[in-house]
Amino acid sequence: QQENITITSVADGRMLGFLTIRELCTIVGVALDNAIAAVRAEPDPEKRLIKVAVYSQGGFAMLRFEHYTETVPALDADGLPKQRSDLKSVRTTIGQHGGSMTLHWENNWCTLRILFSAAQKQIIFTAGIPCRFLLSGRVHKEVRALFVHKHNKN
């Protein structure tokens, strides 16, 4: 709130039970840190918007992170932003599970999409927990709890 950043989220982490806590923190933490850094630079507080969605669709687990931006960053040879993105570690983590990642800009919105096929991994369903995010650049413990709930069952 002190940064005047609005984050909306709809997250159901039940289909992500095959990821380790470290992998989840890498994916979600990097995606949120990058989105927060980008919208923080936006001079108009009304445009400091981030949307997060985690859901299953058509046999896939989908993670979608969107943020408003009026500037498309310079990209390296891999198609990733050159400055402060750390998306290479996310791409590596996703690749270890046969997933894919796309990043694109359209109509002043940057969208990071991450897909995992349910057919490639046995998806473990656990109870989802409501979540909220802090704007500290780190994943809040309740977000972490949403994704790692399966590890606390025993």
Side-chain angles (χ1 to χ4, degrees), residues 73-91:
L75 303 178
D76 63 18
D78 290 337
L80 299 177
K82 288 184 179 181
Q83 295 185 355
R84 197 196 153 346
S85 76
D86 203 22
L87 287 171
K88 288 182 183 181
S89 64
V90 172
R91 181 183 281 169

Side-chain angles (χ1 to χ4, degrees), residues 1-137:
Q1 289 177 346
Q2 67 195 51
E3 300 278 350
N4 292 316
I5 298 172
T6 301
I7 299 179
T8 57
S9 64
V10 177
D12 180 357
R14 294 181 294 174
M15 73 288 297
L16 300 176
F18 61 90
L19 295 171
T20 67
I21 293 170
R22 184 189 61 76
E23 291 168 334
L24 285 166
C25 289
T26 296
I27 294 168
V28 176
V30 168
L32 284 177
D33 283 351
N34 289 336
I36 289 168
V39 299
R40 187 180 281 145
E42 175 58 47
D44 182 355
E46 295 293 317
K47 294 180 179 178
R48 294 180 188 162
L49 306 170
I50 299 172
K51 301 176 193 176
V52 179
V54 179
Y55 55 94
S56 61
Q57 180 178 1
F60 291 92
M62 165 80 84
L63 293 88
R64 190 178 71 228
F65 301 88
E66 300 174 287
H67 68 270
Y68 184 86
T69 184
E70 293 185 1
T71 306
V72 176
L75 303 178
D76 63 18
D78 290 337
L80 299 177
K82 288 184 179 181
Q83 295 185 355
R84 197 196 153 346
S85 76
D86 203 22
L87 287 171
K88 288 182 183 181
S89 64
V90 172
R91 181 183 281 169
T92 299
T93 299
I94 294 163
Q96 291 170 347
H97 293 281
S100 66
M101 178 178 91
T102 59
L103 184 65
H104 74 278
W105 290 265
E106 185 177 340
N107 298 324
N108 294 335
W109 282 91
C110 172
T111 303
L112 170 64
R113 285 191 183 102
I114 299 166
L115 286 174
F116 294 103
S117 172
Q120 291 176 354
K121 292 284 179 185
Q122 179 182 2
I123 305 299
I124 301 168
F125 288 89
T126 61
I129 305 169
C131 65
R132 57 178 192 219
F133 300 97
L134 288 182
L135 301 181
S136 66

